[in-house]
Amino acid sequence: MRRRDPERRRRERGRPRLPLRRSLLGRLLIVSVLVASCAVAATAWLAVQTTSGAIRQEQGQDLSSDAKIYNTLLGYAATHPRWEDVEDTARELARTSQRRIVLTTEDRRPLFDSAGASSVAPLPAQASAVVDPLSVDTVLVPDAMTAGSDRIDPRAVGPFLLPANERTELRAITEKQVACLNSVGVAADVVDGPSGRPRIEFVRGDTDRDLEFKCVAQNSGATLTEKKALDELNTLADACLKRQGHKGATLNLDLSWDRGYGQITAAEKQSAEKQSAEKYPSEKYPAEKKAAAVERGDDRAIASCVGSARREQLTDHVAAPALLFIDGTGAVSVPGFDLSPSNTARIVGVTALVLALTVGVSVIAGARLVRPLHALTGAAQRMRDGLDSAPVPVGPDNEIGRLAAAFNDMAVHRARLEEQRKVMVSDVAHELRTPLSNIRGWLEAAQDGLADPDPAFVSSLLEEAVQLQHIIDDLQDLGAADVGALRLHPEPVYADELLGQVAAAYQGPAETAGVTLSVATPKPGPPGPTLYADPVRLRQAVSNLVSNAVRHTPSGGRVTLRSYRTGPGHGDEVALEVSDTGAGIPADDIPHVFDRFWRAEKSRNRSTGGSGLGLAIVLKLAEAQGGTASVVSTEGKGSVFTLRLPPAPAEAPADATAAEAAAGPDGPDPINMTL
């Protein structure tokens, strides 16, 4: 063994190593790097998303707080002509929001500072908002858009503010209307507007228009205060329209308007035709479209002038615009997410550290995983080269450990098969050498003139040739059975008739040996069991059993053949049994009786043993037909060999008798009769 070690090492050094990308270790490293990269990327994404969500949530809370502060101060400015008394309102807002609130004029003269006069913190260059009820910031107060396109706070009513007597009178009228609506099943309530004018608010959106019209038919008109303010507003708007070359309009209490013009003027017609040429170059501009275009232009002009007139009218009734500064002092600051170079380097460093740890752990784990696989590979290569392979160490009870144990079992089984192969080759050579040596010897004697080629001489040579043919046929049958190429022609066979045919064929050799050969006759009644098998191959198997039994039974002994049905409780099979009263088989030899070239007597004496293939053929023929072969033996008392085969289907017709099937087309089969 030591002399072959250098050669083994030379061969192992000559084998090319697997590339890292194709090895198990390389794949494990690649998977680990991918997993680590995905984990780092997912963690970074989660951190960014979480931080972004926190930022958005914090900013949303701050924006909500800012909007509340702005809206409250905006309402104060819309209902007060000056900022002198805003201190209480602003201080309460600073206390509830925990933020510093500063109000200044547009030229940054302080109006209010919640931090007090002692604060020296400078104000930011950009104000948080401009508090102007005549120009509302629609970002902080989106509801201001519903008040109209002029962005005037609806709480700024100025001269439209009703005195107490007019409010009382209007409320009485509105309450009667609501009572009327409630009496007819329409849910409504009274709500006061910013000017003090009550209005009806319906609880449900769907109302009966007829009932509604009936109850509110006597609608209250404008009061003296509202008429006076509306006339003032109308005068301001008409002056604006006149300056722009448009006709005046009559404003309603809800600030809608009615146009009082009739024919289109020449200037308006020329303007409409110009718009027509630009918008409709390939068609004549109809007169109605001209009028519609002029009307749309008037509407835009009226709306613009009404907005300007309202601002002019409300200027003396609302507070002047003020700058609002809201500081985060005392509140939770908004978290930042600064991807500066230092932060980027920190993230890259942490990622590299995670990757390094992952790769290191993967290398250690991969090396421990690959080490037993290398041992298995080396053992398999030594086995391939025909060298002795020591058992592979079996590790813990895991996949690799079980693989190593299975490999060791395979190596032991392979060694046993190799030993059996060598013994089989030796046995085959020995079995073939004897008849060939006899044939050669007789032929050389005849050639030298030492033997006369008379009939006895020819008969002796023929006997040796037949024996040689039997061995070759047996080996051929075993080879065909091993590869599943044994051709079978199954059909229903009467078991008792087949046993009778075999007994008749071996009656002569049995009488010569002084052995009584018989078939156990069933009691009168229905015929014996019928099985489904190839009659030729089945007769061959039973003949081998009978030949063995006659050969190993001493003179005066008995060999008995019988068949029976095992019954549903025992597999529902047909059993063919050959029993003898011979010497029996030792208990240690019973597991080997169906092995090839095995004989209970180790000598090669033809008087006591055949080639050692007969029982092996019996087992293969039984298995090929879906059956089994077994033996029960007691040393000194005899043996019982049993073939168990499937029964014939109840509906299968018997085309030929069992005797005809067993005999075959050319009469009794001579194969293996002398084994």
Side-chain angles (χ1 to χ4, degrees), residues 494-518:
Y494 292 105
D496 289 342
E497 291 186 8
L498 185 139
L499 294 181
Q501 291 292 328
V502 175
Y506 281 89
Q507 197 65 44
E511 292 177 356
T512 302
V515 176
T516 301
L517 177 60
S518 63

PDB file of all heavy atoms in Angstrom, residues 494-518:
ATOM      1  N   TYR A 494     -52.127 -25.446 -15.794  1.00  0.00           N
ATOM      2  CA  TYR A 494     -52.612 -26.304 -14.717  1.00  0.00           C
ATOM      3  C   TYR A 494     -51.417 -26.824 -13.944  1.00  0.00           C
ATOM      4  O   TYR A 494     -50.560 -27.546 -14.496  1.00  0.00           O
ATOM      5  CB  TYR A 494     -53.439 -27.458 -15.261  1.00  0.00           C
ATOM      6  CG  TYR A 494     -54.758 -27.012 -15.853  1.00  0.00           C
ATOM      7  CD1 TYR A 494     -54.929 -26.974 -17.230  1.00  0.00           C
ATOM      8  CD2 TYR A 494     -55.806 -26.621 -15.027  1.00  0.00           C
ATOM      9  CE1 TYR A 494     -56.123 -26.557 -17.780  1.00  0.00           C
ATOM     10  CE2 TYR A 494     -57.010 -26.200 -15.573  1.00  0.00           C
ATOM     11  CZ  TYR A 494     -57.165 -26.169 -16.946  1.00  0.00           C
ATOM     12  OH  TYR A 494     -58.346 -25.756 -17.502  1.00  0.00           O
ATOM     13  N   ALA A 495     -51.321 -26.478 -12.668  1.00  0.00           N
ATOM     14  CA  ALA A 495     -50.144 -26.804 -11.865  1.00  0.00           C
ATOM     15  C   ALA A 495     -49.938 -28.310 -11.751  1.00  0.00           C
ATOM     16  O   ALA A 495     -48.817 -28.816 -11.913  1.00  0.00           O
ATOM     17  CB  ALA A 495     -50.278 -26.174 -10.473  1.00  0.00           C
ATOM     18  N   ASP A 496     -50.996 -29.072 -11.470  1.00  0.00           N
ATOM     19  CA  ASP A 496     -50.840 -30.518 -11.261  1.00  0.00           C
ATOM     20  C   ASP A 496     -50.370 -31.212 -12.535  1.00  0.00           C
ATOM     21  O   ASP A 496     -49.536 -32.132 -12.495  1.00  0.00           O
ATOM     22  CB  ASP A 496     -52.165 -31.121 -10.784  1.00  0.00           C
ATOM     23  CG  ASP A 496     -52.483 -30.691  -9.359  1.00  0.00           C
ATOM     24  OD1 ASP A 496     -51.553 -30.233  -8.663  1.00  0.00           O
ATOM     25  OD2 ASP A 496     -53.658 -30.791  -8.948  1.00  0.00           O
ATOM     26  N   GLU A 497     -50.871 -30.813 -13.696  1.00  0.00           N
ATOM     27  CA  GLU A 497     -50.446 -31.436 -14.942  1.00  0.00           C
ATOM     28  C   GLU A 497     -48.983 -31.146 -15.219  1.00  0.00           C
ATOM     29  O   GLU A 497     -48.237 -32.014 -15.691  1.00  0.00           O
ATOM     30  CB  GLU A 497     -51.317 -30.944 -16.097  1.00  0.00           C
ATOM     31  CG  GLU A 497     -52.753 -31.439 -16.025  1.00  0.00           C
ATOM     32  CD  GLU A 497     -53.544 -31.044 -17.263  1.00  0.00           C
ATOM     33  OE1 GLU A 497     -52.908 -30.522 -18.206  1.00  0.00           O
ATOM     34  OE2 GLU A 497     -54.755 -31.247 -17.274  1.00  0.00           O
ATOM     35  N   LEU A 498     -48.537 -29.879 -14.926  1.00  0.00           N
ATOM     36  CA  LEU A 498     -47.137 -29.550 -15.149  1.00  0.00           C
ATOM     37  C   LEU A 498     -46.240 -30.367 -14.230  1.00  0.00           C
ATOM     38  O   LEU A 498     -45.194 -30.885 -14.647  1.00  0.00           O
ATOM     39  CB  LEU A 498     -46.924 -28.055 -14.925  1.00  0.00           C
ATOM     40  CG  LEU A 498     -45.517 -27.527 -15.242  1.00  0.00           C
ATOM     41  CD1 LEU A 498     -45.590 -26.185 -15.956  1.00  0.00           C
ATOM     42  CD2 LEU A 498     -44.691 -27.375 -13.961  1.00  0.00           C
ATOM     43  N   LEU A 499     -46.623 -30.528 -12.947  1.00  0.00           N
ATOM     44  CA  LEU A 499     -45.821 -31.338 -12.035  1.00  0.00           C
ATOM     45  C   LEU A 499     -45.778 -32.787 -12.487  1.00  0.00           C
ATOM     46  O   LEU A 499     -44.744 -33.470 -12.366  1.00  0.00           O
ATOM     47  CB  LEU A 499     -46.393 -31.235 -10.615  1.00  0.00           C
ATOM     48  CG  LEU A 499     -46.314 -29.854  -9.943  1.00  0.00           C
ATOM     49  CD1 LEU A 499     -46.905 -29.914  -8.540  1.00  0.00           C
ATOM     50  CD2 LEU A 499     -44.876 -29.361  -9.878  1.00  0.00           C
ATOM     51  N   GLY A 500     -46.877 -33.284 -13.028  1.00  0.00           N
ATOM     52  CA  GLY A 500     -46.895 -34.664 -13.524  1.00  0.00           C
ATOM     53  C   GLY A 500     -45.946 -34.845 -14.695  1.00  0.00           C
ATOM     54  O   GLY A 500     -45.255 -35.878 -14.797  1.00  0.00           O
ATOM     55  N   GLN A 501     -45.882 -33.868 -15.583  1.00  0.00           N
ATOM     56  CA  GLN A 501     -44.962 -33.953 -16.717  1.00  0.00           C
ATOM     57  C   GLN A 501     -43.514 -33.984 -16.244  1.00  0.00           C
ATOM     58  O   GLN A 501     -42.692 -34.765 -16.755  1.00  0.00           O
ATOM     59  CB  GLN A 501     -45.187 -32.768 -17.650  1.00  0.00           C
ATOM     60  CG  GLN A 501     -46.520 -32.792 -18.394  1.00  0.00           C
ATOM     61  CD  GLN A 501     -46.580 -33.918 -19.407  1.00  0.00           C
ATOM     62  OE1 GLN A 501     -45.569 -34.295 -19.985  1.00  0.00           O
ATOM     63  NE2 GLN A 501     -47.760 -34.469 -19.609  1.00  0.00           N
ATOM     64  N   VAL A 502     -43.158 -33.111 -15.271  1.00  0.00           N
ATOM     65  CA  VAL A 502     -41.782 -33.092 -14.766  1.00  0.00           C
ATOM     66  C   VAL A 502     -41.452 -34.407 -14.065  1.00  0.00           C
ATOM     67  O   VAL A 502     -40.350 -34.973 -14.232  1.00  0.00           O
ATOM     68  CB  VAL A 502     -41.592 -31.893 -13.826  1.00  0.00           C
ATOM     69  CG1 VAL A 502     -40.205 -31.923 -13.194  1.00  0.00           C
ATOM     70  CG2 VAL A 502     -41.789 -30.580 -14.583  1.00  0.00           C
ATOM     71  N   ALA A 503     -42.387 -34.933 -13.270  1.00  0.00           N
ATOM     72  CA  ALA A 503     -42.136 -36.197 -12.561  1.00  0.00           C
ATOM     73  C   ALA A 503     -41.928 -37.338 -13.550  1.00  0.00           C
ATOM     74  O   ALA A 503     -41.052 -38.212 -13.364  1.00  0.00           O
ATOM     75  CB  ALA A 503     -43.299 -36.501 -11.617  1.00  0.00           C
ATOM     76  N   ALA A 504     -42.701 -37.338 -14.621  1.00  0.00           N
ATOM     77  CA  ALA A 504     -42.537 -38.398 -15.624  1.00  0.00           C
ATOM     78  C   ALA A 504     -41.178 -38.292 -16.297  1.00  0.00           C
ATOM     79  O   ALA A 504     -40.526 -39.315 -16.600  1.00  0.00           O
ATOM     80  CB  ALA A 504     -43.651 -38.284 -16.657  1.00  0.00           C
ATOM     81  N   ALA A 505     -40.692 -37.055 -16.554  1.00  0.00           N
ATOM     82  CA  ALA A 505     -39.405 -36.884 -17.213  1.00  0.00           C
ATOM     83  C   ALA A 505     -38.250 -37.350 -16.334  1.00  0.00           C
ATOM     84  O   ALA A 505     -37.216 -37.806 -16.846  1.00  0.00           O
ATOM     85  CB  ALA A 505     -39.221 -35.419 -17.597  1.00  0.00           C
ATOM     86  N   TYR A 506     -38.373 -37.244 -15.006  1.00  0.00           N
ATOM     87  CA  TYR A 506     -37.275 -37.615 -14.111  1.00  0.00           C
ATOM     88  C   TYR A 506     -37.514 -38.939 -13.402  1.00  0.00           C
ATOM     89  O   TYR A 506     -36.804 -39.268 -12.449  1.00  0.00           O
ATOM     90  CB  TYR A 506     -37.072 -36.501 -13.069  1.00  0.00           C
ATOM     91  CG  TYR A 506     -36.309 -35.321 -13.612  1.00  0.00           C
ATOM     92  CD1 TYR A 506     -36.971 -34.273 -14.236  1.00  0.00           C
ATOM     93  CD2 TYR A 506     -34.932 -35.267 -13.525  1.00  0.00           C
ATOM     94  CE1 TYR A 506     -36.284 -33.197 -14.753  1.00  0.00           C
ATOM     95  CE2 TYR A 506     -34.236 -34.197 -14.040  1.00  0.00           C
ATOM     96  CZ  TYR A 506     -34.917 -33.158 -14.652  1.00  0.00           C
ATOM     97  OH  TYR A 506     -34.218 -32.098 -15.170  1.00  0.00           O
ATOM     98  N   GLN A 507     -38.487 -39.705 -13.834  1.00  0.00           N
ATOM     99  CA  GLN A 507     -38.754 -40.980 -13.186  1.00  0.00           C
ATOM    100  C   GLN A 507     -37.585 -41.951 -13.379  1.00  0.00           C
ATOM    101  O   GLN A 507     -37.190 -42.678 -12.459  1.00  0.00           O
ATOM    102  CB  GLN A 507     -40.053 -41.595 -13.753  1.00  0.00           C
ATOM    103  CG  GLN A 507     -40.628 -42.694 -12.880  1.00  0.00           C
ATOM    104  CD  GLN A 507     -41.093 -42.165 -11.530  1.00  0.00           C
ATOM    105  OE1 GLN A 507     -41.722 -41.143 -11.449  1.00  0.00           O
ATOM    106  NE2 GLN A 507     -40.742 -42.872 -10.454  1.00  0.00           N
ATOM    107  N   GLY A 508     -36.977 -41.936 -14.588  1.00  0.00           N
ATOM    108  CA  GLY A 508     -35.849 -42.841 -14.850  1.00  0.00           C
ATOM    109  C   GLY A 508     -34.650 -42.538 -13.988  1.00  0.00           C
ATOM    110  O   GLY A 508     -34.111 -43.436 -13.305  1.00  0.00           O
ATOM    111  N   PRO A 509     -34.135 -41.303 -13.956  1.00  0.00           N
ATOM    112  CA  PRO A 509     -32.998 -41.008 -13.076  1.00  0.00           C
ATOM    113  C   PRO A 509     -33.306 -41.281 -11.607  1.00  0.00           C
ATOM    114  O   PRO A 509     -32.417 -41.700 -10.863  1.00  0.00           O
ATOM    115  CB  PRO A 509     -32.750 -39.520 -13.321  1.00  0.00           C
ATOM    116  CG  PRO A 509     -33.269 -39.262 -14.691  1.00  0.00           C
ATOM    117  CD  PRO A 509     -34.452 -40.170 -14.838  1.00  0.00           C
ATOM    118  N   ALA A 510     -34.565 -41.061 -11.180  1.00  0.00           N
ATOM    119  CA  ALA A 510     -34.897 -41.313  -9.778  1.00  0.00           C
ATOM    120  C   ALA A 510     -34.819 -42.803  -9.467  1.00  0.00           C
ATOM    121  O   ALA A 510     -34.309 -43.211  -8.414  1.00  0.00           O
ATOM    122  CB  ALA A 510     -36.291 -40.767  -9.470  1.00  0.00           C
ATOM    123  N   GLU A 511     -35.346 -43.662 -10.346  1.00  0.00           N
ATOM    124  CA  GLU A 511     -35.270 -45.104 -10.107  1.00  0.00           C
ATOM    125  C   GLU A 511     -33.832 -45.577 -10.112  1.00  0.00           C
ATOM    126  O   GLU A 511     -33.455 -46.453  -9.316  1.00  0.00           O
ATOM    127  CB  GLU A 511     -36.079 -45.828 -11.182  1.00  0.00           C
ATOM    128  CG  GLU A 511     -37.592 -45.589 -11.066  1.00  0.00           C
ATOM    129  CD  GLU A 511     -38.361 -46.259 -12.199  1.00  0.00           C
ATOM    130  OE1 GLU A 511     -37.678 -46.831 -13.090  1.00  0.00           O
ATOM    131  OE2 GLU A 511     -39.601 -46.193 -12.189  1.00  0.00           O
ATOM    132  N   THR A 512     -33.007 -45.012 -11.007  1.00  0.00           N
ATOM    133  CA  THR A 512     -31.592 -45.395 -11.034  1.00  0.00           C
ATOM    134  C   THR A 512     -30.920 -45.065  -9.709  1.00  0.00           C
ATOM    135  O   THR A 512     -30.071 -45.831  -9.218  1.00  0.00           O
ATOM    136  CB  THR A 512     -30.872 -44.659 -12.181  1.00  0.00           C
ATOM    137  OG1 THR A 512     -31.513 -44.976 -13.418  1.00  0.00           O
ATOM    138  CG2 THR A 512     -29.411 -45.058 -12.253  1.00  0.00           C
ATOM    139  N   ALA A 513     -31.283 -43.894  -9.116  1.00  0.00           N
ATOM    140  CA  ALA A 513     -30.695 -43.502  -7.834  1.00  0.00           C
ATOM    141  C   ALA A 513     -31.377 -44.154  -6.654  1.00  0.00           C
ATOM    142  O   ALA A 513     -30.966 -43.942  -5.503  1.00  0.00           O
ATOM    143  CB  ALA A 513     -30.763 -41.987  -7.684  1.00  0.00           C
ATOM    144  N   GLY A 514     -32.424 -44.939  -6.871  1.00  0.00           N
ATOM    145  CA  GLY A 514     -33.132 -45.583  -5.764  1.00  0.00           C
ATOM    146  C   GLY A 514     -34.004 -44.631  -4.987  1.00  0.00           C
ATOM    147  O   GLY A 514     -34.246 -44.823  -3.791  1.00  0.00           O
ATOM    148  N   VAL A 515     -34.487 -43.575  -5.650  1.00  0.00           N
ATOM    149  CA  VAL A 515     -35.302 -42.549  -4.990  1.00  0.00           C
ATOM    150  C   VAL A 515     -36.731 -42.653  -5.509  1.00  0.00           C
ATOM    151  O   VAL A 515     -36.952 -42.811  -6.718  1.00  0.00           O
ATOM    152  CB  VAL A 515     -34.748 -41.135  -5.252  1.00  0.00           C
ATOM    153  CG1 VAL A 515     -35.660 -40.077  -4.641  1.00  0.00           C
ATOM    154  CG2 VAL A 515     -33.341 -41.003  -4.691  1.00  0.00           C
ATOM    155  N   THR A 516     -37.695 -42.554  -4.590  1.00  0.00           N
ATOM    156  CA  THR A 516     -39.103 -42.589  -4.976  1.00  0.00           C
ATOM    157  C   THR A 516     -39.551 -41.168  -5.327  1.00  0.00           C
ATOM    158  O   THR A 516     -39.509 -40.257  -4.498  1.00  0.00           O
ATOM    159  CB  THR A 516     -39.964 -43.133  -3.835  1.00  0.00           C
ATOM    160  OG1 THR A 516     -39.505 -44.448  -3.503  1.00  0.00           O
ATOM    161  CG2 THR A 516     -41.421 -43.176  -4.240  1.00  0.00           C
ATOM    162  N   LEU A 517     -39.972 -40.967  -6.590  1.00  0.00           N
ATOM    163  CA  LEU A 517     -40.425 -39.655  -7.074  1.00  0.00           C
ATOM    164  C   LEU A 517     -41.916 -39.720  -7.331  1.00  0.00           C
ATOM    165  O   LEU A 517     -42.381 -40.576  -8.100  1.00  0.00           O
ATOM    166  CB  LEU A 517     -39.682 -39.281  -8.363  1.00  0.00           C
ATOM    167  CG  LEU A 517     -40.098 -37.968  -9.038  1.00  0.00           C
ATOM    168  CD1 LEU A 517     -39.886 -36.779  -8.130  1.00  0.00           C
ATOM    169  CD2 LEU A 517     -39.331 -37.790 -10.354  1.00  0.00           C
ATOM    170  N   SER A 518     -42.682 -38.829  -6.691  1.00  0.00           N
ATOM    171  CA  SER A 518     -44.145 -38.878  -6.832  1.00  0.00           C
ATOM    172  C   SER A 518     -44.717 -37.471  -6.774  1.00  0.00           C
ATOM    173  O   SER A 518     -44.072 -36.532  -6.297  1.00  0.00           O
ATOM    174  CB  SER A 518     -44.757 -39.739  -5.724  1.00  0.00           C
ATOM    175  OG  SER A 518     -44.502 -39.157  -4.451  1.00  0.00           O
TER     176      SER A 518
END
